[in-house]
């Protein structure tokens, strides 16, 4: 029996899509990150019951942090993006968290900069608040150790290729780190939207992309670039097509980042098909409910994913829509002149 709803909600489902293809499906993945971080802060004495935790969020982390604070008797203040919808706003209010949303922005960079600037103002007035810094503090890695242990126990022995949105770097980075500590041979494929600075696509915009949570317009120090073997940059049309096909073919109703990861995984699996090939695991970080109007309602415009293929690049100057991919080790080496 679970002591709190957050403990129940965090539990992932490992779903076998095909013999060597598994979906790691969460109701909301960042609860693991938030619970692990808050537990560590309490255990270390960095915070105590009754303290206020503050952070910036475009949606999923806000719910996760609010639930973690509810679980451990802490107060929660969120500086949110305009993407925080009414359903989440009402939940946060009832949970006792406070939310303030920044003004609508023309682009992701401005939105994130406004949120960080506002946090600085709040901390100046409230120096006892603890800034969670989900993008920069490695404390957000800790919660994923439990997920890696579940994966290691249930996934067949042998090599694993992990595919997921990069985001703050904590999920894919932590899972790869802990699986490797368990002795697994792990390759990591990161999924990015165009316009993200994390892996150098900031000069290629995608105004339709609404999965900002897998990319960044500012530097995220929790992203450890050396952990990633390949990167895929996917636009909205491809992510939508992947999400629709994921639901149609498997019944899994998940967010746009899951659709992008599914599309990417199928291509990587086809590219690397050989004897002794790894087990492929792609991350579905949240359900599809908040994307119904903005994405799934447009399901008739989704393309047949068998007709989609990425543009293989060797330099970031070659990035282009609708989908590009590269060996990150190769790109990184060329950037450093090696």
């Amino acid at each position: 029996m679970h002591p709190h709803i957050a403990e129940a909600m965090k539990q992932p489902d490992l779903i076998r899509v095909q013999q060597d293809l598994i979906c790691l499906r969460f109701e909301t993945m960042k609860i693991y990150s938030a619970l692990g971080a808050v537990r560590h802060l309490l255990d270390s004495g960095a915070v105590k019951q009754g303290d206020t935790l503050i952070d910036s969020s475009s949606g999923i982390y806000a719910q996760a942090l609010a639930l973690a604070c509810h679980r451990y008797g802490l107060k929660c203040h969120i500086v949110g993006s305009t993407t925080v919808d009414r359903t989440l706003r009402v939940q946060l209010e009832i949970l006792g968290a406070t939310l303030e949303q920044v003004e609508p922005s023309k682009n992701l960079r401005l939105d994130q900069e406004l949120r960080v600037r506002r946090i600085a103002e709040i901390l100046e007035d409230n120096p006892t608040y603890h800034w969670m810094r989900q993008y920069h503090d490695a404390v957000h890695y800790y919660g994923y150790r439990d997920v890696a242990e579940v994966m290691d126990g249930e996934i067949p022995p042998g090599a694993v290729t992990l595919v997921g949105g990069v985001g703050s770097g904590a999920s894919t980075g932590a899972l790869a780190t802990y699986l490797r500590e368990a002795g697994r041979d792990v390759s990591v494929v990161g999924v990015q939207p165009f316009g993200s600075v994390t892996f150098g696509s900031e000069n290629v915009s995608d105004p339709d992309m609404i999965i900002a949570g897998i990319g960044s317009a500012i530097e995220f120090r929790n992203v450890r670039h050396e952990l990633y073997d390949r990167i895929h940059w996917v636009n909205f049309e491809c992510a939508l097509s992947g999400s629709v096909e994921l639901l149609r073919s498997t019944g899994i109703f998940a967010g746009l980042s899951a659709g992008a990861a599914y599309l990417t995984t199928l291509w990587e699996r086809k590219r690397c098909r050989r004897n002794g090939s790894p087990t492929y695991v792609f991350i579905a970080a949240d359900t599809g409910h908040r994307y119904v109007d903005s994405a799934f309602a447009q399901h008739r415009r989704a393309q047949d994913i068998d007709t989609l293929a990425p543009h293989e690049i060797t330099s970031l100057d070659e990035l282009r829509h609708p989908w590009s991919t590269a060996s990150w080790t190769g790109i990184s080496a060329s950037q450093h002149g090696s």
Side-chain angles (χ1 to χ4, degrees):
M1 184 178 298
H2 299 291
H4 190 273
I5 183 61
E7 306 290 348
M9 288 176 64
K10 76 177 185 179
Q11 297 296 327
D13 301 304
L14 282 165
I15 303 166
R16 189 180 296 281
V17 175
Q18 295 185 32
Q19 184 60 32
D20 61 344
L21 180 57
I22 294 171
C23 176
L24 179 63
R25 182 237 181 226
F26 296 86
E27 182 173 345
T28 177
M29 181 182 67
K30 288 193 174 181
I31 289 184
Y32 261 110
S33 179
L35 281 174
V38 172
R39 277 199 309 267
H40 176 81
L41 292 170
L42 286 166
D43 291 345
S44 66
V47 301
K48 62 183 184 300
Q49 282 195 340
D51 284 354
T52 298
L53 307 186
I54 183 173
D55 213 344
S56 162
S57 175
S58 59
I60 296 177
Y61 186 76
Q63 181 191 31
L65 186 59
L67 285 168
C69 288
H70 189 274
R71 167 80 170 88
Y72 290 112
L74 296 152
K75 298 173 185 176
C76 178
H77 187 92
I78 299 294
V79 177
S81 168
T82 53
T83 57
V84 177
D85 60 20
R86 181 173 181 271
T87 301
L88 180 54
R89 289 199 303 271
V90 171
Q91 288 183 69
L92 293 175
E93 182 178 348
I94 295 172
L95 283 169
T98 55
L99 167 71
E100 56 177 286
Q101 291 176 269
V102 297
E103 293 296 319
S105 303
K106 294 180 180 179
N107 56 59
L108 176 60
R109 174 181 288 278
L110 183 57
D111 177 76
Q112 290 181 328
E113 287 178 347
L114 285 173
R115 284 187 270 148
V116 172
R117 191 181 309 154
R118 179 56 187 149
I119 286 177
E121 293 171 353
I122 294 170
L123 289 173
E124 186 173 345
D125 293 334
N126 302 273
T128 62
Y129 285 13
H130 182 87
W131 184 12
M132 291 299 292
R133 294 164 57 86
Q134 65 150 321
Y135 304 134
H136 308 303
D137 193 334
V139 71
H140 291 90
Y141 271 58
Y142 298 157
Y144 290 107
R145 184 183 292 276
D146 293 342
V147 185
E149 290 177 355
V150 171
M151 293 172 67
D152 190 43
E154 295 194 29
I155 293 172
V160 174
T161 295
L162 178 68
V163 184
V166 176
S168 68
S171 58
T172 44
L175 289 174
T177 297
Y178 295 135
L179 283 170
R180 286 168 180 163
E181 286 183 3
R184 289 275 187 163
D185 176 9
V186 182
S187 296
V188 186
V189 179
V191 179
Q192 284 276 274
F194 290 99
S196 172
V197 305
T198 305
F199 286 92
S201 67
E202 62 269 26
N203 294 323
V204 184
S205 65
D206 182 7
D208 293 327
M209 182 53 78
I210 53 175
I211 48 174
I214 70 170
S216 170
I218 58 178
E219 180 189 0
F220 287 175
R221 290 194 291 277
N222 267 341
V223 178
R224 301 173 185 173
H225 290 77
E226 70 277 6
L227 295 177
Y228 297 86
D229 298 282
R230 292 186 63 81
I231 298 296
H232 284 251
W233 296 266
V234 181
N235 75 359
F236 173 77
E237 294 290 341
C238 288
L240 171 65
S241 300
S243 298
V244 170
E245 182 56 32
L246 178 62
L247 178 57
R248 179 184 290 125
S249 62
T250 72
I252 298 172
F253 183 46
L256 281 177
S257 68
Y262 179 57
L263 181 70
T264 293
T265 304
L266 293 178
W267 187 86
E268 286 286 337
R269 183 167 166 261
K270 185 185 300 182
R271 182 183 71 90
C272 297
R273 178 75 74 181
R274 63 186 185 278
N275 292 332
S277 59
T279 298
Y280 289 85
V281 181
F282 68 95
I283 297 173
D286 60 350
T287 67
H289 294 86
R290 69 178 183 142
Y291 300 101
V292 169
D293 293 330
S294 57
F296 284 97
Q298 306 175 54
H299 65 89
R300 290 182 180 82
R301 68 187 270 195
Q303 301 175 61
D304 179 351
I305 63 171
D306 289 334
T307 67
L308 300 174
H311 172 55
E312 186 81 35
I313 67 171
T314 57
S315 166
L316 292 175
D317 295 336
E318 300 169 359
L319 276 169
R320 70 186 189 199
H321 285 256
W323 178 9
S324 294
T325 186
S327 163
W328 183 248
T329 52
I331 292 280
S332 180
S334 65
Q335 286 181 320
H336 290 88
S338 55

